[in-house]
Amino acid sequence: TINMANNFFLIALVNFFSAIFLLYLLFRLFQLSFNNPIVSNSFKYLEPLLKPFRFVLPILFGIDLSALALVILAKFGLFNLIFSADQIFDTIDALSWAAIGSFYMASQIIRYSLFISIFASWLAPMSNNSFLNICHGLTQPLLLPFQRFTSFSGIDFSPIIVFFLLIQIDRILLTLGANLELPRFI
């Protein structure tokens, strides 16, 4: 039971680390405002950690490759620690699991942000909360292309389309993992 507790702690720690760096990556990708204290503090604390890696892994098209590589590397290490007893997995399997798991986590972050943004628009439509502004900033660029075609009588149906697309992306990632015979994401 001690090993199980250590694995749980390690899994939680790696997933927390991964979520923080994926949020940072999404902040950059969607160009969230530095006026938001959460965004500015994330850049203040995470940028020095990523700067040394930028010589090899730059920011391309708004995607911070060094942050993505750190997340994939952390999940790669987690895979090797948890599934090291299974000899049927190799380095390609571990990297595949780490990459697919990282994209799956990013999709989940966006989906929960959309869910929070929708409820906040009903409960506190004029709120200037930093967290809600982040959720809105992460989802608005995804909703915009569909809002021209899905707004009827003041009701916006674009979140339904984006939810559907995110669910399909999740299904594709899970199917890809299953087809590669990889363990489920933790």
Side-chain angles (χ1 to χ4, degrees):
T1 58
I2 293 172
N3 191 22
M4 185 63 160
N6 288 340
N7 278 346
F8 176 78
F9 178 74
L10 184 64
I11 291 166
L13 187 65
V14 168
N15 282 332
F16 177 75
F17 171 83
S18 299
I20 295 292
F21 278 91
L22 281 173
L23 276 169
Y24 173 84
L25 185 143
L26 292 171
F27 292 168
R28 272 199 176 280
L29 181 65
F30 292 113
Q31 300 175 348
L32 272 78
S33 171
F34 273 96
N35 293 332
N36 187 317
I38 297 171
V39 175
S40 63
N41 281 327
S42 73
F43 275 76
K44 179 174 137 185
Y45 293 114
L46 297 179
E47 187 64 29
L49 297 173
L50 295 170
K51 205 168 199 162
F53 300 104
R54 293 255 165 71
F55 295 111
V56 179
L57 299 166
I59 299 168
L60 292 175
F61 308 110
I63 300 171
D64 191 336
L65 296 177
S66 55
L68 182 61
L70 276 177
V71 171
I72 291 173
L73 188 63
K75 287 194 170 280
F76 174 80
L78 179 66
F79 181 92
N80 285 323
L81 284 173
I82 292 175
F83 301 109
S84 62
D86 294 334
Q87 297 301 323
I88 57 172
F89 297 113
D90 60 6
T91 304
I92 300 298
D93 289 336
L95 278 174
S96 300
W97 184 86
I100 293 169
S102 299
F103 289 117
Y104 183 77
M105 183 180 269
S107 172
Q108 294 297 307
I109 289 171
I110 293 170
R111 188 185 320 173
Y112 286 118
S113 295
L114 182 59
F115 188 70
I116 292 168
S117 186
I118 290 168
F119 275 110
S121 71
W122 294 337
L123 300 175
M126 302 308 260
S127 176
N128 200 19
N129 181 288
S130 298
F131 178 73
L132 295 179
N133 287 339
I134 286 174
C135 291
H136 182 72
L138 290 176
T139 58
Q140 194 58 36
L142 301 173
L143 297 173
L144 237 95
F146 303 107
Q147 285 178 335
R148 284 186 231 133
F149 310 110
T150 61
S151 292
F152 302 106
S153 302
I155 299 174
D156 184 13
F157 292 100
S158 62
I160 295 170
I161 294 171
V162 173
F163 262 125
F164 176 76
L165 291 174
L166 288 171
I167 289 169
Q168 296 311 312
I169 289 170
D170 290 350
R171 283 184 180 168
I172 290 168
L173 292 172
L174 291 172
T175 302
L176 181 60
N179 288 341
L180 294 173
E181 297 178 359
L182 300 173
R184 291 269 310 185
F185 306 118
I186 300 170

